[in-house]
């Protein structure tokens, strides 16, 4: 029997609202604390995972509001089959 | 009793904090970072000792030693290297201004200071952070079988 994948169903319970220009959609938001620079600095490292079709044209450097907080997008990277992408966020 | 290397790094911290630098608060000059600093605390300067080569017996009864001193400026911002620049320049100037009339450095503890390589690294978090590490090589003298400051 063929397994029919529905990633939108998986994301339904864990997403927050994101707004890019006039587009509103749902994204997965992660914000782990990471350590860098030879272990000298730690900081929150926010990122979003989203369906590319939900945010057409969203690209690096553009403003996006995630769950009410304003960010600028870092370079998006397509995941697996290219239906979804993940992008880091930085404060404006 | 401290080793001469320990005295030199302590003196370096004193040189960088007394009087306070204009570019960075004295409380933001750290001796050895034992744990990662939260980026909220940046900019900071971290001072630590590096490696030390085998000593040379240049004069009978004494040994000349060379130890690395690393001074790292950590900063954040849209262009974090630019944010680090003022503290980098002021720290460097403070260290090379420590020469006394007898030609010694760091309150007479070092016979010479050589400028070594400079390393830069950056990372993107919610804010961009960067480190600029300047390495200095301090030459100092001890008695032949001692690690403490040599006093003729």
């Amino acid at each position: 029997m063929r397994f029919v994948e529905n990633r939108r169903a998986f994301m339904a319970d864990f997403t927050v609202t994101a707004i890019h220009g006039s587009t509103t959609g749902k994204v997965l938001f992660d914000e782990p604390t990471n350590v860098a620079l030879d272990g000298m600095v730690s900081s929150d490292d926010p990122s979003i995972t989203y369906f590319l079709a939900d945010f057409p044209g969203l690209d690096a450097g553009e403003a996006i509001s995630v769950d009410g907080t304003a960010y600028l997008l870092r370079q998006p990277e397509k995941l697996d089959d290219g239906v979804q992408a993940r992008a880091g966020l930085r404060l404006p | 009793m401290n080793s001469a290397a320990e005295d030199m790094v302590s003196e370096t911290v004193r040189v960088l904090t007394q009087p306070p630098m204009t570019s960075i608060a004295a409380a933001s000059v750290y001796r050895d970072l034992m744990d990662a600093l939260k980026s909220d605390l940046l900019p900071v300067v971290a001072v630590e000792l590096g490696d030390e080569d085998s000593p040379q017996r240049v004069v009978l009864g004494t040994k000349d030693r060379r130890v690395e001193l690393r001074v790292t400026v950590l900063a954040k911002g849209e262009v974090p290297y630019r944010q680090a620049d003022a503290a980098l320049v002021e720290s460097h100037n403070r260290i090379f201004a420590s020469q006394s009339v007898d030609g010694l450095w760091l309150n007479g503890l070092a016979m010479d200071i050589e400028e070594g390589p400079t390393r830069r690294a950056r990372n993107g978090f919610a804010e961009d952070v960067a480190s600029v590490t300047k390495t200095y090589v301090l030459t100092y003298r001890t008695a032949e079988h001692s690690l403490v400051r040599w006093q003729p």
Side-chain angles (χ1 to χ4, degrees):
Chain A
M1 187 175 76
R2 185 164 177 256
F3 175 74
V4 179
E5 188 179 55
N6 184 351
R7 276 174 281 177
R8 286 190 182 274
F10 173 76
M11 290 179 72
D13 292 336
F14 306 106
T15 51
V16 296
T17 299
I19 302 170
H20 168 242
S22 59
T23 303
T24 299
K26 295 290 188 180
V27 300
L28 278 173
F29 178 71
D30 293 301
E31 194 174 29
T33 297
N34 282 334
V35 174
L37 303 178
D38 291 330
M40 290 190 285
V41 177
S42 70
S43 183
D44 294 340
D45 193 7
S47 67
I48 55 171
T49 303
Y50 58 99
F51 285 95
L52 284 166
D54 291 350
F55 295 94
L58 179 61
D59 208 352
E62 295 186 353
I64 187 168
S65 169
V66 179
D67 204 19
T69 301
Y71 292 101
L72 297 174
L73 204 75
R74 295 187 185 276
Q75 187 63 49
E77 296 176 8
K78 289 182 180 176
L79 301 175
D80 302 326
D81 57 5
V83 173
Q84 290 175 284
R86 180 183 296 127
L89 301 170
R90 63 185 172 90
L91 295 169
Chain B
M1 181 179 294
N2 295 331
S3 69
E6 170 61 31
D7 285 343
M8 286 191 296
V9 72
S10 296
E11 178 62 15
T12 302
V13 171
R14 191 198 65 76
V15 161
L16 298 182
T17 55
Q18 297 176 18
M21 293 193 283
T22 57
S23 60
I24 203 158
S28 295
V29 177
Y30 289 79
R31 166 71 201 282
D32 296 338
L33 289 180
M34 300 305 293
D35 205 353
L37 284 175
K38 284 186 69 68
S39 60
D40 300 348
L41 297 171
L42 304 186
V44 305
V45 172
V47 180
E48 60 185 358
L49 285 175
D51 294 333
E52 188 165 348
D53 292 332
S54 300
Q56 302 291 316
R57 191 170 65 177
V58 178
V59 178
L60 282 178
T62 67
K63 282 182 178 162
D64 286 0
R65 303 171 185 270
R66 290 161 54 85
V67 64
E68 283 185 359
L69 174 77
R70 291 195 286 262
V71 177
T72 300
V73 181
L74 299 163
K76 66 175 179 179
E78 192 172 349
V79 187
Y81 289 139
R82 185 192 302 153
Q83 304 303 120
D85 199 58
L88 179 73
V89 170
E90 194 170 8
S91 299
H92 182 78
N93 289 345
R94 285 276 181 109
I95 289 169
F96 277 103
S98 72
Q99 191 173 31
S100 47
V101 290
D102 55 9
L104 301 176
W105 305 82
L106 295 173
N107 195 27
L109 294 166
M111 296 161 58
D112 192 17
I113 301 177
E114 297 169 56
E115 189 179 346
T118 301
R119 309 278 183 217
R120 289 181 170 84
R122 58 191 162 85
N123 200 85
F125 288 129
E127 293 178 279
D128 290 338
V129 295
S131 66
V132 183
T133 300
K134 286 204 70 67
T135 302
Y136 304 93
V137 179
L138 309 178
T139 303
Y140 65 102
R141 180 167 288 177
T142 66
E144 186 164 355
H145 300 299
S146 172
L147 294 177
V148 302
R149 180 181 185 180
W150 179 72
Q151 293 179 310

